[in-house]
């Protein structure tokens, strides 16, 4: 099998699972919004749900790719690129959704600012001890001036970091398992 079709297969499988994951992630966004939560605020449940999404869909894509498209020796970069396509698609689609919804519903920005200010206030003493009064006031001002684009970009960067960490871990695990399996088969 030539490299070009392999690259095309990686892209098509990755986009397929990325788009399905995007639909679920966007559904999660609207479900949280419907429940009265601000879906832009990173809470433990949101972190857990995105971790599941960023583990499940790259694994499903890897399974399909290995079953139907892969021939020859497994390489680490196959899993890494496939995972990046999957979680990258999810991250970009949710970024666009976040931003467009915030343009329509400015209450999300206000709610985000209020929650951020409350969080800062709850850690006031620690913050003042570590950074001082001037930095505290600057941080408060920055929070009150934050825009929808900055909030969406912050959410995107958090998802990208989470997705990359999980994808690299998954790709490494699959690579190790494949290496162990090929050694076992060659020793038999």
């Amino acid at each position: 099998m030539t490299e070009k079709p392999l690259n095309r297969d990686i892209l098509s499988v990755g986009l397929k699972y990325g788009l399905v994951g995007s639909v679920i992630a966007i559904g999660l966004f609207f479900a949280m919004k419907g429940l009265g939560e601000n879906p832009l605020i990173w809470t433990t449940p949101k972190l857990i749900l995105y971790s599941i999404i960023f583990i499940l869909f790259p694994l499903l894509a890897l399974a399909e790719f290995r079953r139907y498209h892969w021939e020859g020796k497994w390489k680490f970069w196959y899993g890494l690129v496939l995972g990046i396509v999957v979680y990258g698609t999810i991250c970009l689609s949710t970024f666009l959704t976040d931003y467009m919804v915030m343009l329509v519903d400015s209450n999300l920005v206000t709610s985000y600012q209020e929650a951020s200010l409350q969080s800062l206030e709850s850690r006031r003493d620690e913050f003042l001890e570590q950074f001082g009064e001037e930095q505290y006031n600057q941080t408060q001002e920055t929070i009150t001036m934050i825009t929808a684009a900055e909030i969406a970009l912050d959410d995107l960067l958090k998802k990208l970091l989470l997705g990359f960490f999980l994808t690299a871990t998954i790709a490494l695990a699959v690579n190790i398992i494949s290496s162990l399996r090929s050694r076992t088969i060659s020793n038999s």
Side-chain angles (χ1 to χ4, degrees):
M1 184 174 249
T2 63
E3 284 297 310
K4 189 166 179 126
L6 182 65
N7 293 339
R8 193 175 355 189
D9 291 341
I10 288 174
L11 187 60
S12 67
V13 171
L15 283 175
K16 178 170 68 173
Y17 284 94
L19 290 172
V20 173
S22 294
V23 169
I24 291 172
I26 290 169
L28 174 65
F29 177 90
F30 286 109
M32 290 176 71
K33 189 173 180 319
L35 292 171
E37 297 291 323
N38 188 330
L40 301 166
I41 298 172
W42 278 78
T43 58
T44 302
K46 182 177 179 177
L47 177 64
I48 291 169
L49 289 170
Y50 272 98
S51 294
I52 291 169
I53 289 170
F54 288 152
I55 290 170
L56 179 65
F57 287 98
L59 277 175
L60 291 172
L62 281 168
E64 179 180 321
F65 181 77
R66 286 184 63 144
R67 180 172 292 146
Y68 299 111
H69 304 285
W70 166 67
E71 292 178 11
K73 185 174 172 154
W74 182 260
K75 296 180 181 163
F76 173 73
W77 73 266
Y78 295 163
L80 190 59
V81 170
L82 191 57
I84 289 171
V85 171
V86 172
Y87 85 78
T89 303
I90 296 169
C91 290
L92 289 175
S93 66
T94 57
F95 167 76
L96 292 172
T97 302
D98 293 351
Y99 184 64
M100 289 187 301
V101 170
M102 281 189 287
L103 291 178
V104 173
D105 184 4
S106 62
N107 290 334
L108 286 174
V109 175
T110 305
S111 171
Y112 183 90
Q113 290 169 332
E114 290 170 358
S116 297
L117 287 171
Q118 287 174 355
S119 176
L120 180 65
E121 184 61 34
S122 71
R123 297 177 289 124
R124 180 185 173 94
D125 294 335
E126 298 167 30
F127 193 97
L128 289 174
E129 186 178 309
Q130 192 170 5
F131 300 108
E133 184 76 33
E134 184 179 331
Q135 185 63 41
Y136 182 82
N137 293 334
Q138 285 178 343
T139 303
Q140 273 185 320
E141 186 177 326
T142 301
I143 291 170
T144 58
M145 302 301 288
I146 199 164
T147 65
E150 292 169 329
I151 295 169
L153 186 60
D154 177 64
D155 193 60
L156 172 70
L157 293 175
K158 288 175 183 172
K159 289 174 187 168
L160 286 172
L161 287 173
L162 177 64
F164 184 77
F165 171 74
L166 293 172
T167 294
T169 303
I170 291 166
L172 184 60
V174 169
N175 194 49
I176 290 170
I177 291 167
S178 293
S179 294
L180 292 174
R181 217 179 256 167
S182 67
R183 284 185 196 160
T184 304
I185 291 171
S186 65
N187 289 337
S188 297

